[in-house]
Structure formats: C-alpha cells, structure tokens
C-alpha cells in the first residue's frame, strides 16, 4: 500500500521547510523526506552558528545565474522584509553585522525552532533517515519508493540543495533527478570557497596564516572590497569567498593589499622623506608588521628605502597594489558554502518554480542555477523560492 500526500518535498533544508509551511497553510497534506538524521543542518552551522538569515539589500544583482533575471519573480513575491517579519513574530533577536547582513543575536537554532514550529502548526509530516530508491512519474502522479515504503503525490518538490559539505548531508540527488527527467544542469563549481596555492606563494601564505587585512580583489570587472585572511593552504576571508564565485580554473585573480593607497606614489615620497627607514618599516605603516616583512623577504628587497631604485620601488608597489596570483584551485566542496550552477533556469517557470516539461515537479533553493553572494542572500533565495513553490504545489 502506498501512502498518499498532496505534496512531497525531498530535503529538509531552508527551502524545503519554507515550501512545506506555505503548502501546509493552503491545507495541502505535506510530507518532507530527509535522508540524514537531522533537519536544517546547514542553517545550524551557518553564519558561524548565528545564521545570517537574510540581507536588507538583497536583490537580483547579488546573484549569479545563466539568467540573472530568473530570481526576480520569486523575490518580488517573498522579500527579505517578509522573512524579517516572520523572525520578529517569533521574537527572535537579531542584528545587522555589516552591509545589511542580518544575524541572530543568540543562535541559528532560533531559526530552526521557528521553522519547526511553523511546520508543526501546519501538520507537516517529516521523515528523517529516509533514502529514496526510485521516483516514477505516471499520469501526473509521482510514486516514490524507499527501502520499505511507497509514497504517492501529485506535487513533488526537489529541495536537496547543492554539493557543499557532504559530511552533513549534501548529495547530488537533485542533479540525478534532473538527469532522470532529461533536464539540463549547468556546470557545477564549488563557490564561496577559499583558494589554495602551491610553491613559493603557498609558503608566503603559510608564513602569514591567521593574518587578516582589508583588501580589494578583482577578476575582470568584478571587484570585492572586504576582509582577506591568509591560511595554511592559501587565502580566504569575505573578499576571497565572494570572488571565488567568479573564478574559473587556470585564471588569475588580482589582489590589492592596500586598496586605499597608491603605493607607487607613497614609496617615492617616503624615499625623500625617510630615506634611512627600512622598506619593511615603511610598509608597516600600512600593513601588519609580519606581512610587511614577508613582502620585502619575498621580493628580496630588504634595504633602506633611500637605497632603493625606481625599479625596486615599482616592484614593491606592483606587488602590493596589483598582486596577480594564479590559484592552484579551491578547497572544494569540503569547505565551499555553496554550489555555483544547478538546474538550468530555462527548465523552470520562474513564477511557480515548476518544471516546464513536467507538471507537478518543482525545484527550489540551491539546487537551482541561482547562487547568491556571501551575506544572507543564499538563504533569501531559499526562503523566496520555497515560498513561491509553496503557493503553487
Ligand atoms: C558553512 C556554511 C555556512 C553558510 N552560511 C550561510 C549564511 O550565513 N547565510 C546564507 O544566506 N547562506 C549561508 N550558507 C548557504 C546556505 O546554507 C545554503 O545556500 C542554503 O542552506 C540552501 O538551502 P537549501 O534548502 O536549498 O539546501 P540545504 O539547506 O542544503 O538543504 C538540503 C537538504 O536536503 C537533504 N538531502 C540531500 N540529499 C538528499 C536525498 N537524497 N534525500 C533526502 N534528503 C536529501 C540534505 O541533507 C539537506 O537537509 C552557508 C553554507 C555553509 C555550507
């Protein structure tokens, strides 16, 4: 015997839970199937445990997609203010950290508890530890089989997220389903992810592990001005995570270690003003001491600034303002916050999230080719796309 539901949602993450709540409000009989033992694990670990649940300024320009207009419809139907109102209704305390990023004061668990309560209010059934073995579509009805059970529904929502952090449940299930139904998936890349290096640049980064600065990083015309931190494997920090979404293997990135200052001019002025000062001491006026020394060691320019030639000063200023590096790669899905790419938006109706070719089949959240910048945008996409599907299932 199969158990019948109006809506079955695969994946109990941000998007799946939001969709379930909204479908439940429309009196739909909803089941969420989750293959791990816990729901909403990514919410729990997000924002350093405080969940950057949305961004005051979130709009379509904060997203990467083959069709950058695709997300507009969902955002117009469910905005960041709608989610903020929900958070306020639950009296969850939050604050703006910077750049419109809203974080819980207490813990990401507040958001999870809110979503669970909303699901309970709508009598949403959640089955954890449940692996789906097959999905068959026949006469607009979807039949799902697990090891021991059979489920049927007229609306099937794929909310299985991306590939990042497999140890807490990420899987390629959504892309497999797309493959089964002959739907296009764009190229997938780990994004919002640190860069790794090898050889001398790796040694340079390693020696500075833990040191952070405000930097500007650039690929073609895309620039992010935020923090950069050196790590034992390369570089990370908000500016690097942001630019990683624009990076393709074998391409370089340009890092400006002192974006507020053109060191070209400054070093020439300092050669006149303070000729007896070591170059590393001059650089220490703008950078952490350790980084200043590492730069002069790396460039073999450990001398008094008065003794430095124009070429030497140019070499230093270029290194600081136009540090062009070729990453070996990224830390990959093990640490990436998101997957860039996903189900091709051409396959999905942007105002319902339903698949154009198969009625009753929906894709929401990170599994779709809509990837946000760092700063609460990815959750906003999960809430908005989940909400929209919830109105249409
Ligand atoms: C460390 C980290 C920190 C982050 N911090 C933030 C932040 O502060 N702000 C922000 O906006 N974004 C953040 N993100 C990104 C954000 O977490 C995701 O974009 C968001 O969770 C995507 O929601 P989703 O519901 O689409 O997918 P997910 O939240 O990944 O949920 C998918 C669910 O599907 C389940 N699943 C997978 N395969 C199957 C299967 N075969 N059967 C059944 N269930 C399955 C998974 O176990 C999971 O529960 C962070 C990500 C990481 C990794």
């Amino acid at each position: 015997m199969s158990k019948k539901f109006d809506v079955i949602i695969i994946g109990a993450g941000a998007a799946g839970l939001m969709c379930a709540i909204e479908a439940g409000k429309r009196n739909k009989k909803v089941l969420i199937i989750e293959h791990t033992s816990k729901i909403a694990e990514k919410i729990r670990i997000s924002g350093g445990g405080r969940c950057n649940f949305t961004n005051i300024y979130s709009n379509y320009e904060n997203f990467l997609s083959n069709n950058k207009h695709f997300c507009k419809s969902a955002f117009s139907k469910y905005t960041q203010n709608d989610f903020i109102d929900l958070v306020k209704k639950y009296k969850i305390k939050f604050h703006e950290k910077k750049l419109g990023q809203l974080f819980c004061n207490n813990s990401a668990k507040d958001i999870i508890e809110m979503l669970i309560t909303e699901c309970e209010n709508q009598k949403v059934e959640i089955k954890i530890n449940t692996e789906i073995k097959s999905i068959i579509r026949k006469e607009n009805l979807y039949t799902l089989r697990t090891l021991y059970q059979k489920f049927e529904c007229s609306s099937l929502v794929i909310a299985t997220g991306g590939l990042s952090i497999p140890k807490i449940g990420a899987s390629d299930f959504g892309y497999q389903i797309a493959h089964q139904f002959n739907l296009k998936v764009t190229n997938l890349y780990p994004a919002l992810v640190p860069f790794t290096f090898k050889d001398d640049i790796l040694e340079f980064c390693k020696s500075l592990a833990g040191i952070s600065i405000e930097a500007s990083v650039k690929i073609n015309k895309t620039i992010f001005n935020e923090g950069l931190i050196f790590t034992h494997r390369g570089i990370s920090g908000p500016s690097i995570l942001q630019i990683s979404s624009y990076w393709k293997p074998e391409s370089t990135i340009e890092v400006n270690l002192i974006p507020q200052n053109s060191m070209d001019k400054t070093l020439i002025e300092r050669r006149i003003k303070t000729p007896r000062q070591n170059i590393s001491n001059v650089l220490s006026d703008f950078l952490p001491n350790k980084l200043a020394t590492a730069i002069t060691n790396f460039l073999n320019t450990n001398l008094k600034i008065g003794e430095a030639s124009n070429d030497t000063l140019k070499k230093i200023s270029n290194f600081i303002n136009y540090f062009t590096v070729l990453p070996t790669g990224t830390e990959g899905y093990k640490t990436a916050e998101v997957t860039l790419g996903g189900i091709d938006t051409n396959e999905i109706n942007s105002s319902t999230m339903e698949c154009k070719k198969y009625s009753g089949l929906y894709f929401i959240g990170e599994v779709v080719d809509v990837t946000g910048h760092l700063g609460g945008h990815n959750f906003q996409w999960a809430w908005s796309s989940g909400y929209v599907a919830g109105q249409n299932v």
Side-chain angles (χ1 to χ4, degrees):
M1 276 292 284
S2 59
K3 275 188 96 178
K4 291 187 170 50
F5 290 85
D6 296 318
V7 184
I8 297 182
I9 298 164
I10 307 176
L17 292 166
M18 178 55 94
C19 178
I21 294 161
E22 291 303 316
K25 285 183 189 165
R26 292 173 50 238
N27 294 321
K28 300 285 176 182
K29 192 176 174 212
V30 183
L31 169 70
I32 307 184
I33 297 178
E34 167 61 46
H35 71 156
T36 68
S37 59
K38 290 182 188 145
I39 69 161
E41 270 298 88
K42 265 195 197 154
I43 299 180
R44 187 182 60 79
I45 63 165
S46 67
R50 291 225 162 96
C51 186
N52 177 195
F53 55 81
T54 191
N55 190 298
I56 298 170
Y57 309 115
S58 204
N59 76 60
Y60 79 100
E61 287 178 353
N62 299 111
F63 292 84
L64 290 89
S65 169
N66 273 354
N67 174 5
K68 68 177 200 165
H69 303 286
F70 178 82
C71 58
K72 281 180 176 172
S73 174
F75 287 141
S76 70
K77 293 185 170 86
Y78 192 85
T79 69
Q80 52 272 56
N81 291 328
D82 293 316
F83 194 77
I84 294 167
D85 286 346
L86 181 63
V87 168
K88 281 182 180 163
K89 188 174 130 194
Y90 277 78
K91 299 193 168 36
I92 295 171
K93 297 238 170 352
F94 63 91
H95 62 279
E96 179 185 347
K97 198 168 171 187
K98 57 173 183 174
L99 307 168
Q101 302 166 5
L102 300 187
F103 284 75
C104 296
N105 286 4
N106 177 32
S107 159
K109 286 183 194 150
D110 292 347
I111 300 289
I112 301 176
E113 276 164 25
M114 173 187 85
L115 295 167
I116 291 175
T117 307
E118 287 282 304
C119 280
E120 284 169 356
N121 290 348
Q122 305 308 331
K123 304 203 169 27
V124 170
E125 215 178 295
I126 302 180
K127 274 184 90 60
I128 54 165
N129 290 322
T130 304
E131 195 102 15
I132 292 154
K133 296 290 180 197
S134 71
I135 297 176
I136 293 167
R137 180 179 191 271
K138 210 172 166 189
E139 287 155 14
N140 289 347
L141 209 65
Y142 293 86
T143 306
L144 285 68
R145 282 178 194 276
T146 65
L147 205 51
Y148 305 109
Q149 280 174 298
K150 199 168 135 189
F151 301 96
E152 269 178 14
C153 60
S154 48
S155 292
L156 176 65
V157 184
I158 310 298
T160 45
L163 296 169
S164 62
I165 326 276
K167 73 170 185 218
I168 60 161
S171 82
D172 66 353
F173 187 85
Y175 315 119
Q176 279 181 37
I177 296 301
H179 186 67
Q180 177 187 334
F181 285 90
N182 217 4
L183 305 173
K184 271 195 215 123
V185 178
T186 66
N187 289 337
L188 305 173
Y189 302 92
L192 300 183
V193 63
F195 286 121
T196 57
F197 295 104
K198 60 181 182 185
D199 304 332
D200 53 345
I201 297 287
L202 174 62
E203 292 312 313
F204 178 79
C205 294
K206 256 188 189 173
S207 73
L208 295 165
I211 288 180
S212 63
I213 53 168
E214 285 301 308
S216 168
V217 297
K218 185 174 162 198
I219 292 179
N220 301 324
K221 286 186 178 145
T222 306
I223 302 181
F224 289 98
N225 295 296
E226 278 188 74
L228 175 153
I229 184 161
F230 293 94
T231 73
H232 283 104
R233 301 184 65 189
I235 45 177
S236 185
S239 63
I240 294 302
L241 300 186
Q242 297 279 34
I243 206 77
S244 70
S245 300
Y246 294 82
W247 182 77
K248 293 286 171 290
E250 312 296 327
S251 60
T252 56
I253 55 172
E254 195 179 293
V255 181
N256 187 340
L257 300 170
I258 312 180
Q260 69 285 7
N261 213 316
S262 162
M263 290 311 282
D264 200 2
K265 238 171 93 199
T266 305
L267 291 179
I268 287 173
E269 281 165 14
R270 292 293 291 265
R271 186 170 57 186
I272 297 163
K273 265 197 201 154
T274 59
R276 287 158 169 289
Q277 231 184 345
N278 280 336
I279 294 177
S280 60
N281 286 345
V282 174
L283 298 184
S284 295
D285 288 347
F286 307 92
L287 293 168
N289 290 347
K290 211 169 165 185
L291 176 55
T293 309
I295 290 171
T296 50
N297 286 344
F298 188 80
L299 298 175
N300 209 5
T301 54
N302 227 337
L303 48 144
K304 293 197 188 327
I305 193 159
E307 294 162 4
S309 66
N310 284 347
D311 282 355
T312 301
L313 294 189
K314 190 81 193 156
K315 193 158 103 176
I316 298 166
S317 64
N318 276 347
F319 187 92
I320 292 171
N321 291 135
Y322 308 98
F323 182 31
T324 302
V325 283
L326 175 68
T328 315
T330 70
E331 289 189 9
Y333 290 113
K334 200 158 53 78
T335 48
E337 286 201 11
V338 287
T339 300
L340 179 71
I343 313 300
D344 194 317
T345 52
N346 286 318
E347 306 282 11
I348 303 168
N349 178 333
S350 65
S351 53
T352 61
M353 302 307 292
E354 189 175 21
C355 184
K356 289 178 186 167
K357 291 178 191 152
Y358 301 98
S359 64
L361 180 61
Y362 296 77
F363 290 89
I364 55 172
E366 200 183 310
V367 75
V368 179
D369 173 30
V370 174
T371 308
H373 286 166
L374 191 75
H377 306 287
N378 284 297
F379 277 134
Q380 187 55 44
W381 169 244
W383 314 134
S384 297
S385 58
Y387 173 90
V388 166
Q391 308 307 313
N392 290 281
V393 285

